[in-house]
């Protein structure tokens, strides 16, 4: 969960998000080193009247500042491509959930069950209990088991939406007439919040996403209760 004046990412709740955080730190360190070097060169050039004649025309320096950026780009590109393929990898999901975007709420359908589905609306401010978050809490949460591969099929019924949960490292557009998919594994129990990340109309800010990750036994109890109520 993000907090006021937070500068970094939210705490990772999935292996993919942990990889994204590590890559972010890796790339940021390279940016810091380049920025420091460039700043030093600028200060050195401004603060001295001396000129090194070997810098004005030097084949060796030209080779260095051509090869070095290429090496740096490779050091950034290879981990990036690895994570890109990891994010698209979907191997034998234990649970498939269909998420449909509407103006302005989400509906979820657990396709592995015969009749398990519900709509998820934002809780109005006056209905919030103590400790619940304004504009982020929903009347029905998407409950998933921890440490299990989950596949989410995402589409929309009316306009473009986007299903995004930062802590889980997932974000996928919901396009009418098209079925997109994304996968994640929740590595710990918790409640993870997201919001529609595609401008979809007047109430775009009021269709939150709430994913609750629980142990498998609790998930089975929850699904049994939902099926009985249905």
């Amino acid at each position: 969960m993000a907090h006021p004046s937070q500068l970094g990412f939210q705490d990772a709740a999935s292996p993919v998000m942990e990889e994204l955080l590590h890559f972010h730190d890796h790339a940021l360190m390279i940016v810091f080193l380049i920025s420091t070097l460039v700043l030093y060169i600028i200060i050195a050039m401004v603060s001295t009247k001396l000129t090194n004649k070997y810098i004005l025309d030097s084949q060796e320096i030209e080779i260095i500042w051509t090869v070095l950026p290429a090496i740096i780009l490779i050091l950034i590109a290879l981990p990036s491509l690895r994570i890109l393929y990891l994010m698209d990898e979907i191997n034998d999901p234990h649970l498939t959930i269909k998420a449909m975007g509407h103006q302005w709420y989400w509906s979820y359908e657990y396709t592995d069950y015969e009749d398990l589905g519900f709509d998820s609306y934002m809780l109005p401010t006056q209905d919030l209990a103590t400790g619940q978050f304004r504009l982020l809490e929903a009347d029905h949460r998407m409950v998933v088991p921890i440490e299990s591969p989950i596949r989410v099929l995402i589409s929309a019924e009316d306009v473009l939406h986007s299903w995004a949960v930062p802590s889980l490292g997932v974000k996928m557009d919901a396009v009418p007439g098209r079925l997109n998919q994304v996968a994640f594994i929740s590595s710990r129990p918790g409640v993870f919040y997201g919001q529609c990340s595609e401008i979809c109309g007047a109430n775009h800010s009021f269709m939150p996403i709430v994913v609750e990750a629980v142990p498998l036994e609790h998930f089975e109890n929850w699904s049994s209760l939902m099926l009985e109520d249905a």
Side-chain angles (χ1 to χ4, degrees), residues 99-102 106 154-162 173-179:
M100 289 287 293
H102 308 265
W106 293 96
I154 301 167
S155 187
E157 196 174 64
D158 35 48
V159 298
L160 289 175
H161 300 278
S162 183
D173 284 347
V175 183
R178 177 172 176 170
L179 202 61

Side-chain angles (χ1 to χ4, degrees), residues 42-167:
I42 291 174
I43 293 174
M45 292 179 65
V46 170
S47 61
T48 181
K49 295 181 180 180
L50 300 177
T51 302
N52 190 329
K53 65 178 182 180
Y54 296 109
I55 294 181
L56 298 178
D57 185 17
S58 174
Q59 293 293 330
E60 291 79 9
I61 290 179
E62 289 185 10
I63 291 172
I64 290 172
W65 70 37
T66 301
V67 173
L68 192 60
I71 295 174
I72 292 173
L73 287 176
I74 291 172
L75 291 175
I76 295 175
L78 292 180
S80 175
L81 287 172
R82 173 178 169 270
I83 296 174
L84 194 62
Y85 279 98
L86 282 175
M87 293 175 70
D88 283 339
E89 194 73 26
I90 300 177
N91 287 326
D92 191 23
H94 295 176
L95 182 67
T96 299
I97 304 171
K98 184 179 178 182
M100 289 287 293
H102 308 265
Q103 288 182 313
W104 287 272
Y105 65 95
W106 293 96
S107 61
Y108 298 102
E109 180 184 342
Y110 289 69
T111 58
D112 298 287
Y113 295 83
E114 186 174 345
D115 188 22
L116 179 52
F118 50 83
D119 296 332
S120 179
Y121 291 86
M122 185 193 75
L123 275 179
T125 304
Q126 61 269 21
D127 295 340
L128 292 175
T130 303
Q132 290 185 324
F133 300 104
R134 176 178 169 271
L135 302 183
L136 288 177
E137 205 64 59
D139 58 353
H140 290 94
R141 296 173 173 176
M142 190 184 96
V143 181
V144 298
I146 62 171
E147 298 177 347
S148 297
I150 309 297
R151 176 175 59 184
V152 184
L153 304 176
I154 301 167
S155 187
E157 196 174 64
D158 35 48
V159 298
L160 289 175
H161 300 278
S162 183
W163 198 84
V165 183
S167 294

